Amino acid sequence: MSARCGKIADVAGSRVLLAVDGNSLLHRSYHAQARTGLRSAEGRPMWAVRGLLSALVLAAERVCPDVIVVGFDDPDTSVRREMWPHYKANRVDKLETLVDQLAFAVEVLRELGVAVVTPAGLEADDVVASAARFAAAAGATTVVMTSDRDAFTLIDEHTTVLRIIDGGVEASPMMTPSRLVTLLGVRPDQYLDYAALRGDSSDNLPGVRGIGAKTAAALLAELGSARAAFDDLDTGNGRVAAAIGASRARLLSEPAARAAWELNCQVMALHSDLALGIDFDGGAGCLPLVADVVRETFLGQQLTWTTAAALRVLAGQQPGESSPTAPAPAAQPDEPNWQWTGGRRRYGRLVVDQPNVEQLALF
């Protein structure tokens, strides 16, 4: 166990790469903490960036990484939208405060010393996929931190997914191959087929008509892959009908069904060949980070009570080594009825505690 960490890591191995889906985590923090409306002295919104930094520290404490890389979506162009013009077209335009904090997060993380990658035309999912491939080639382990399900296809003996759900980092499950089978009924190598058959409403990708999550899982359990299922329908062997029933088998045999599956597979497939500019032997993202920079970054985001933990897990600074004192922070004007209650934040009558029990519900 690394001296930087205060807990036993959830993953085994001599070297660990923590790959973070920056967009999904910042979006989650943006909505979860929007009620605070926290801004910098210059008036810049900062609540989502603070949430992302806090989650980063908790994840680093949990898995003890040697390298941290954070991926963000290209905000201007999209290769996937070129394939499917309706990709994510159902989403409303991002609010100005969210757009600003996405850019702000990139600035803050780079100043902190974390490796940050925004690939041209691609997304954070492609960054974490490339990170997993890089780590496996180096004989290391990857932990992907995300609130999305797309990364489930990366899970294997080298890669686990810390799926952030309600309750935060400490209450979120570490997804392994066996856990994915238990929860969804599919293996990681089947997840792309599963998602392509089911569709993804959040990305505006319709699934195959009549094939929902349970039917897709049953089909893949029996046939192994969607391609094998379509081949079975072409040859008339009857295995698809036996697995999901004659009526759904007829729906799956329609030409539009195979076309929908093929399109979704193309759009959903992750790019794993990005050059990330990271190295376990040194450079951007390698821990320990510079203590003075860590201190300045976290105090600059008014994360007074997180600074000591950040210094310990990100910079390897042990308690007593010039750690800043942490008096109870004063109430912020943007946090009405805020009180410090010794480890909890109180908003009016609402007290929010940090949970420590792992939740198994993922959806």
Side-chain angles (χ1 to χ4, degrees):
M1 181 179 70
S2 169
R4 297 188 309 271
C5 302
K7 299 179 181 178
I8 296 176
D10 292 83
V11 294
S14 59
R15 297 188 297 183
V16 177
L17 172 59
L18 175 61
V20 181
D21 181 339
N23 271 73
S24 74
L25 269 294
L26 191 128
H27 273 79
R28 192 174 186 87
S29 296
Y30 178 86
H31 295 293
Q33 301 298 323
R35 68 187 185 279
T36 70
L38 280 173
R39 293 175 179 266
S40 67
E42 296 76 27
R44 191 169 191 178
M46 60 190 293
W47 66 87
V49 177
R50 284 162 43 91
L52 176 58
L53 286 172
S54 297
L56 189 67
V57 171
L58 289 170
E61 184 173 31
R62 181 168 174 178
V63 306
C64 302
D66 297 278
V67 179
I68 300 175
V69 59
V70 184
F72 287 93
D73 299 355
D74 183 338
D76 301 317
T77 61
S78 171
V79 169
R80 291 178 173 87
R81 195 171 296 116
E82 293 174 4
M83 294 185 200
W84 175 245
H86 302 292
Y87 181 64
K88 296 185 179 180
N90 56 331
R91 300 188 184 185
V92 298
D93 291 339
K94 293 184 178 71
L95 296 173
E96 183 179 347
T97 50
L98 175 56
V99 173
D100 186 61
Q101 290 188 80
L102 281 166
F104 192 24
V106 172
E107 294 175 19
V108 170
L109 290 169
R110 283 187 173 145
E111 291 173 0
L112 179 63
V114 170
V116 179
V117 180
T118 304
L122 296 174
E123 303 176 5
D125 290 335
D126 303 301
V127 175
V128 300
S130 298
R133 181 176 179 179
F134 165 80
T141 297
T142 302
V143 176
V144 175
M145 180 166 68
T146 181
S147 61
D148 290 341
R149 294 169 292 184
D150 299 331
F152 288 171
T153 189
L154 302 174
I155 298 171
D156 59 20
E157 67 273 20
H158 304 290
T159 306
T160 56
V161 173
L162 177 55
R163 171 82 193 289
I164 305 302
I165 56 176
D166 293 341
V169 173
E170 290 188 334
S172 295
M174 194 75 77
M175 295 297 299
T176 60
S178 61
R179 171 162 282 178
L180 188 66
V181 172
T182 299
L183 291 173
L184 298 183
V186 296
R187 303 186 308 268
D189 63 284
Q190 296 173 315
Y191 185 79
L192 178 59
D193 274 346
Y194 171 85
L197 290 167
R198 181 202 60 200
D200 189 338
S201 58
S202 67
D203 287 342
N204 202 33
L205 291 169
V208 175
R209 188 166 70 95
I211 308 297
K214 291 183 179 180
T215 302
L219 182 70
L220 294 171
E222 178 62 28
L223 278 297
S225 70
R227 187 172 300 280
F230 286 114
D231 290 345
D232 177 80
L233 290 169
D234 290 341
T235 57
N237 288 335
R239 293 180 63 198
V240 171
I244 62 175
S247 61
R248 286 190 173 86
R250 282 194 295 273
L251 291 173
L252 197 64
S253 66
E254 296 176 357
R258 186 162 193 153
W261 164 71
E262 289 177 342
L263 173 65
N264 285 350
C265 283
Q266 290 176 26
V267 176
M268 293 177 173
L270 302 182
H271 296 248
S272 61
D273 57 351
L274 301 180
L276 304 179
I278 57 176
D279 191 321
F280 281 100
D281 296 325
C286 283
L287 273 59
L289 304 179
V290 178
D292 287 345
V293 175
V294 172
R295 182 184 297 106
E296 180 180 351
T297 298
F298 280 80
L299 291 179
Q301 297 302 311
Q302 302 176 27
L303 288 166
T304 309
W305 288 92
T306 308
T307 300
L311 285 166
R312 175 167 50 80
V313 301
L314 299 179
Q317 185 177 91
Q318 297 305 306
E321 295 182 24
S322 302
S323 297
T325 57
Q332 298 294 328
D334 295 318
E335 296 187 76
N337 301 318
W338 185 94
Q339 301 174 41
W340 186 255
T341 59
R344 301 180 297 177
R345 278 190 169 189
R346 182 188 295 275
Y347 292 89
R349 294 185 178 181
L350 175 65
V351 176
V352 182
D353 292 292
Q354 173 63 49
N356 56 19
V357 179
E358 182 179 275
Q359 299 178 8
L360 296 181
L362 293 182
F363 305 99

